[in-house]
Amino acid sequence: MNELRALFLFNTLSLTAMMAFVPVIGPIIRELGMQEWHAGLTVTVSGVCWMLMARRWGHASDRRGRRPVLLFAAACYVLVYATMAGFIDYALQATPGVLLTLCVLVLLRGLMGTFYAAIPTVSAAQMADVTPPAQRARVMAKLGAANGLGLVLGPAVGGLLARESLSLPLYVAACLPALGLAWLVWRLPSHPPRVNKPSPPLPILDPRLRIPVLAMFLAMGSVIVSQLAVGFYAIDRLHLTTREAASVASMAMTAVGVTLILVQVGMSRVRRIDSALCMMLGAWLAVAGFVLVTCWHSTTGLVVSYAVMAAGLGLVFPSIQTLTANAVSEHEQGTAAGTVSAVQGMAMVIMPVASTLLYRIRPEAPYLCAAFFLLLLGLGVYTHRQRATVTNAA
C-alpha cells in the first residue's frame, strides 16, 4: 500500500536525521569550548522529552486522527532541526557564551525529542489500523528494517559530511525529513479518528501491555549498553589504541545495523509469524551474543558477537510492536504505541548511567547484566505462552 511505503520512507529519513547528529556532537562541543557533560545533557533532555510526550501523541492521534497529528509533529520536527542547524552554524562562527549556547541546544534538542516522539508512535498506530492482525508482524518487521536503515545511514552521513564542515551534516539532515514530509502529505490518506468521544487514555500499567513494555525496556536498554560499552571494551579487553578502538567500534555497530536490517527484512517475507515465539527465541539469541562478547576477546569475536546480539534483537523489536497492536482495541492503538515508545525513551534516559556504573565495576558487567535480564524476558514469554496454550485448550 502506498501509505505504508510513505511511512517506511519517512521513518527512515527521520531517524537518519536524528542519528546524523551523533558523530558530530562531540567535535561541535569541543569547537564551542564546552565540556563533555554538556553533550550528555543535550542527549538526555531529548530522551526525557520523548518519554514524556510519546503517550500524549498517541492518545491525540486516537482522538484527532493519525494524519493531522503526524503531519503537525513532522513539520515541527523539520523546523526545529533546521533551526538547530542554523544556530550551530552561527555559534561555530560567532562563538557566543557557553551558557547561552548550552541553553539553546538543550531547548532545541528537547523540542526535537518532543516532536520526534510522535513519528514512531503514530506510524506504528497507523500501520496497525490498516493491517489485519495476522499480517502485522510482517509490517512491523518492515518498519523495523526501515529504522535499522536509518541507524546505519545516519552516522555514516554525519561522519562523511563532517569532513567538509561540522554544520553541513545538520543542514543536510534537516532536508531529509522535509523530503519525507512532502511525500507523506501526498501519499498518506486521511482516516477518521478512532475515538469519537473523549475517553480516558489507556493506563500506563495496563496488564495487556506488560510483556511488550518490559520487552521494549530491556531490548532498548541492551542496545544502549552495547553502544556505550563497545569502545571502552575494545580498549580495556582487546588492548587497542583509542584510534583502533574507534575503528573496531564502528565495525561492530555497522554489523549491528546491517544484521538488524537483514533479519527484519527476512521476517517481513514470512506469511505468518508467531510473535511471542519470535520474541522468546530472539531474547535468548541476544543472550548468546552478550555472553559471547565476554568470552571471545578479539576483533573478529567482538564484531561476530555484536552481529549475534543484533540478530536476536532484530526478532524482538518487531514482535514488541505486533504484540502491542494485537493486545488492544482499535481506539487504543495510538496510546498503546505511545506507551511502548515512552518506555523506549525511558531506557534512553536510565540505561546510559546504569551501564557506565556497571562498567566501572568490571568491563564485562554491563554485558552479563543485559544477558541476565534478556534471559528472564525469554523465560517470562515462555511462561506466558504456556499459560495461553492451557487457557485456549480449556
Side-chain angles (χ1 to χ4, degrees):
M1 297 175 66
N2 286 333
E3 64 181 294
L4 293 183
R5 293 192 187 98
L7 288 169
F8 296 145
L9 176 63
F10 180 65
N11 275 265
T12 297
L13 294 177
S14 297
L15 189 55
T16 298
M18 182 68 81
M19 295 304 297
F21 185 74
V22 173
V24 298
I25 179 61
I28 286 173
I29 289 295
R30 288 289 172 86
E31 285 288 326
L32 295 176
M34 302 171 73
Q35 299 180 29
E36 287 80 0
W37 70 268
H38 294 149
L41 179 61
T42 61
V43 174
T44 299
V45 166
S46 180
V48 170
C49 292
W50 181 350
M51 176 183 69
L52 295 177
M53 291 303 299
R55 277 174 51 85
R56 294 179 181 273
W57 287 119
H59 189 54
S61 73
D62 286 335
R63 292 185 290 110
R64 300 176 183 175
R66 312 288 186 219
R67 189 177 192 273
V69 171
L70 182 57
L71 294 184
F72 172 78
C76 292
Y77 174 67
V78 171
L79 179 62
V80 172
Y81 206 121
T83 303
M84 183 183 72
F87 174 77
I88 288 176
D89 192 15
Y90 160 77
L92 288 171
Q93 299 178 46
T95 58
V98 170
L99 181 59
L100 174 62
T101 303
L102 178 62
C103 290
V104 174
L105 286 180
V106 167
L107 173 63
L108 293 175
R109 284 290 297 178
L111 289 173
M112 282 180 63
T114 294
F115 294 117
Y116 180 80
I119 294 172
T121 297
V122 182
S123 296
Q126 175 74 3
M127 292 176 186
D129 289 343
V130 300
T131 309
Q135 300 298 319
R136 283 174 181 162
R138 297 178 62 191
V139 173
M140 295 304 176
K142 289 181 180 179
L143 178 61
N147 287 327
L149 188 59
L151 287 172
V152 174
L153 290 178
V157 169
L160 183 64
L161 295 179
R163 297 175 183 176
E164 302 296 329
S165 162
L166 289 177
S167 58
L168 179 60
L170 302 180
Y171 283 121
V172 173
C175 293
L176 297 179
L179 294 173
L181 175 60
W183 184 258
L184 210 60
V185 170
W186 183 31
R187 288 296 188 181
L188 188 65
S190 180
H191 297 286
R194 294 288 164 171
V195 178
N196 296 321
K197 58 183 180 179
S199 62
L202 192 74
I204 194 168
L205 298 178
D206 191 294
R208 295 171 294 174
L209 298 181
R210 284 175 184 166
I211 293 291
V213 163
L214 177 63
M216 178 57 82
F217 183 79
L218 294 179
M220 192 65 202
S222 300
V223 169
I224 294 168
V225 165
S226 67
Q227 289 176 334
L228 289 178
V230 62
F232 298 115
Y233 197 81
I235 294 171
D236 296 333
R237 285 294 181 258
L238 305 188
H239 308 293
L240 302 177
T241 66
T242 54
R243 288 183 179 274
E244 291 171 338
S247 177
V248 170
S250 176
M251 291 168 56
M253 296 315 300
T254 299
V256 168
V258 172
T259 305
L260 282 172
I261 294 170
L262 292 176
V263 169
Q264 292 174 124
V265 167
M267 286 183 68
S268 71
R269 296 181 180 278
V270 179
R271 290 187 175 275
R272 289 189 176 274
I273 298 174
D274 184 336
S275 296
L277 179 61
C278 279
M279 182 183 290
M280 180 182 72
L281 296 178
W284 288 341
L285 183 59
V287 168
F290 278 102
V291 173
L292 195 59
V293 172
T294 67
C295 304
W296 193 355
H297 293 160
S298 71
T299 298
T300 302
L302 191 66
V303 173
V304 170
S305 301
Y306 268 63
V308 173
M309 286 181 212
L313 294 173
L315 294 173
V316 171
F317 281 115
S319 302
I320 293 171
Q321 300 286 2
T322 304
L323 291 175
T324 300
N326 290 345
V328 299
S329 304
E330 288 187 0
H331 68 279
E332 299 172 313
Q333 290 292 343
T335 309
T339 299
V340 172
S341 185
V343 172
Q344 188 175 1
M346 184 187 300
M348 293 171 64
V349 174
I350 295 174
M351 292 309 295
V353 176
S355 63
T356 51
L357 290 176
L358 286 169
Y359 193 91
R360 292 183 64 183
I361 297 172
R362 188 176 176 83
E364 290 82 5
Y367 294 105
L368 294 176
C369 187
F372 175 72
F373 284 111
L374 287 171
L375 177 64
L376 292 183
L377 173 63
L379 291 173
V381 176
Y382 173 78
T383 303
H384 180 76
R385 289 183 78 243
Q386 291 297 105
R387 289 176 179 172
T389 300
V390 171
T391 302
N392 293 334

